[in-house]
Amino acid sequence: EKVFVHFDDLPRLEANKNISAAGDIPAIEQEKLAQTASFEADVVASNILRTEQGLPLCVYAPSDRPMLVSLGKFDGIFAYKSYSLCGFLPALMKEVVEWKERAVR
């Protein structure tokens, strides 16, 4: 039998509210991508600060996000909801996104 750890929508462990998680949480219905893990981590970090300050906690609300997948240097896939695009343009978009992420760090 598979057993998953259960989280609430803050996202904290249901069995111990002092433990939070971010990234690839099975209970959250969304694509398991680095960008969604980053958004979850922002909520967790904010909630840690808000707990220390005695403020109400933020709820993580998953949403549809565009997805870019590299299939090599000159080929890729862009998908968003029911739309998809394959070829060079998505590969170029992925390069721009990765360049931007590297520049920010």
Side-chain angles (χ1 to χ4, degrees), residues 8-97:
D8 61 17
D9 57 355
L10 294 176
R12 298 178 304 177
L13 188 64
E14 285 184 355
N16 185 339
K17 301 297 184 185
N18 292 323
I19 299 174
S20 296
D24 296 351
I25 300 171
I28 297 177
E29 295 285 332
Q30 68 181 1
E31 296 291 337
K32 307 307 182 210
L33 303 169
Q35 66 176 329
T36 54
S38 178
F39 288 116
E40 292 169 11
D42 289 343
V43 171
V44 168
S46 176
N47 282 346
I48 291 169
L49 292 174
R50 292 173 80 79
T51 297
E52 292 295 316
Q53 297 166 348
L55 298 171
L57 303 181
C58 299
V59 172
Y60 176 73
S63 62
D64 290 332
R65 302 193 191 285
M67 182 171 41
L68 283 167
V69 178
S70 175
L71 300 174
K73 183 101 174 133
F74 302 107
D75 202 11
I77 298 172
F78 169 80
Y80 181 63
K81 297 187 179 183
S82 63
Y83 301 100
S84 64
L85 177 65
C86 301
F88 179 71
L89 185 58
L92 183 61
M93 293 166 62
K94 178 73 172 174
E95 284 292 318
V96 169
V97 168

